[in-house]
Amino acid sequence: MALTLNAIAFQSPKRPSFTPPPLPTAHRSPTLCMASSLRSASREVETVNKPFTPPHEVHVQVTHSMPPEKVEIFKSLEGWAEDNLLVHLKPVEKCWQPQDFLPDPSSDGFHDQVKELRERAKEIPDDYFVVLVGDMVTEEALPTYQTMINTLDGVRDETGASPTPWAVWTRAWTAEENRHGDLLNKYLYLSGRVDMKQIEKTIQYLIGSGMDPRTENNPYLGFIYTSFQERATFVSHGNTARLAREHGDMKLAQICGTIAADEKRHETAYTKITEKLFEIDPDSTVLAFADMMRKKIAMPAHLMYDGRDDNLFDNFSAVAQRLGIYTAKDYADILEHLVKRWKVSQLRGLSAVGQEAQDYVCGLPPRIRKLQERAQTRAKQGPRIPFSWVHDREVQL
Amino acid sequence: MASVTASSVKFSSVSCLIKQNQLSNLKKASLSFTGNGFQSRRLPVLRFRVACAAKPETVMKVVDIVRKQLALPEDRDVCGESKFSVLGADSLDTVEIVMGLEEEFGICVEEESAQSISTVQEAADLIEELLEKK
């Protein structure tokens, strides 16, 4: 069976069927609700009477949607991956480590360095920290992402030490990403501007919740998803770097910029894989692209929860939108970039459904932009709400 | 759309959350005949509830916009009862339909109202309600 459907229903006895978490009303962002709430057919249920229950997905879990014979394609691409994919990894000896950007505990100057870091951080407003924390929490949920990549048929790491180029890539990618969370965690810890315990709690909840990008064990879907995501994180960290510079913290700008550079390299790699798939199997790949866009690209941390705010992700996204760190416009831009990069409009020899998918994908960016522009003109000032990550200080949505 | 109420459009509407609790936008006019003048004749007390549905022309305009948005074939039947989701509209289509209606009728649809529209009739009724308020 190509498709196995598991209907997993988490029903709260207190709520009728489902009610989506109420979104904050007047806020400026068309946001990421577009780019991020992405829950087309998915539903989120909160239980009102059970305290500290994180939101969870309630949608039909589709698995193994790639026909088994296509697994061969990925086996046959192992040589290609060895020569063309692994080159985008950096040898460990050449890699930066978090310590390169943090006060040196082995040095006598450690305490002064920490003091300087905290002085610089004092100049940075709470709303920036809310977004930085959200980004850090996302990075710290890395176990979820390695897991997700290892759900993909044909490219998974079968043993944890598999020698296939796909597995080598995944492990090394994970190792590189791991530094991002570590670096941001240590920076935030030293900064003194945030409530580490609340943040740590959020991370524990998030890793526990996992995520379902709806990639169905299908590497066509999976690599399109990761291509999009890596570009999104590149954009996002690039913006946090720029803002840090504006607030006068050059070291933080360097931190964010370095992370962004990694994401760029990863984006190049995943985009290359998808480009290859477009080359050898354009029909399946364009169908996969349309499918992922219809389902909307779910942000990895969309189930984030801090034990207090049932709308944490939406609130965080609203701030990220207002600060211009990651916006609905970025979502449209990324999509447009990928459509051009993969030359989707020039694909030939597609089936009827393939052409339909091609039309859908090529026509999607302007539609999203129009929506986003309309929302922008109508947006009104959002409320100020407390974020536990900054000791319940209020931040403008 | 010179709208006094600049409402923020939440792309939550684009996220295709299927709303179970739908606001009914049907205008209800409640008429009750207490039969004052007829007491001597002992007529029963009658209460009527009349739902003022939108004019057929409005419904037709909505049908046109929906047809265009969803590129429906000529032989596909679209009427007041037609549900957008059944016609094949995804969340993006629904928002675009609402946008088309706004442009056509010169109205501004609030986010909450937009999310409650699921049929052609409901859209038409909401339009008339908004036109009346203008």
Side-chain angles (χ1 to χ4, degrees), chain A residues 262-277:
Chain A
D262 272 4
E263 310 291 17
K264 185 75 192 146
R265 198 160 36 81
H266 297 162
E267 177 206 325
T268 305
Y270 286 119
T271 316
K272 213 187 206 183
I273 299 173
T274 310
E275 179 188 47
K276 188 69 179 166
L277 292 177

Side-chain angles (χ1 to χ4, degrees), chain A residues 362-397:
Chain A
C362 292
L364 195 53
R367 290 169 77 188
I368 296 175
R369 278 196 212 291
K370 197 163 171 218
L371 238 60
Q372 176 259 324
E373 276 158 20
R374 173 182 183 254
Q376 203 66 18
T377 57
R378 297 175 154 215
K380 46 185 178 185
Q381 185 101 330
R384 292 181 68 83
I385 63 138
F387 278 85
S388 73
W389 298 337
V390 288
H391 300 282
D392 293 326
R393 292 191 295 270
E394 286 184 352
V395 168
Q396 178 87 51
L397 292 188

Side-chain angles (χ1 to χ4, degrees), chain A residues 16-20 23-27 29-31 33-34 37-40 42 294 296 328 360 364 367-368 370-372 374-375 377-380, chain B residues 1 3 6-21 69 90-93 95-96 98-99 102-103 107-112 115:
Chain A
S17 16
F18 88 96
T19 343
L23 294 166
T25 39
H27 65 79
S29 8
T31 75
C33 285
M34 168 72 190
S37 64
L38 343 171
R39 319 163 204 156
S40 352
S42 78
R294 279 190 210 278
K296 280 159 249 175
Y360 176 76
L364 195 53
R367 290 169 77 188
I368 296 175
K370 197 163 171 218
L371 238 60
Q372 176 259 324
R374 173 182 183 254
T377 57
R378 297 175 154 215
K380 46 185 178 185
Chain B
M1 287 178 267
S3 170
S7 56
S8 70
V9 174
K10 221 105 355 70
F11 284 151
S12 54
S13 65
V14 183
S15 69
C16 195
L17 299 169
I18 308 160
K19 289 268 183 181
Q20 303 272 340
N21 308 319
Q69 173 69 27
D90 65 15
S91 54
L92 190 49
D93 290 315
V95 176
E96 288 172 335
V98 170
M99 276 167 63
E102 285 184 329
E103 276 169 34
I107 51 177
C108 188
V109 181
E110 299 264 333
E111 176 70 12
E112 294 75 32
Q115 281 183 22

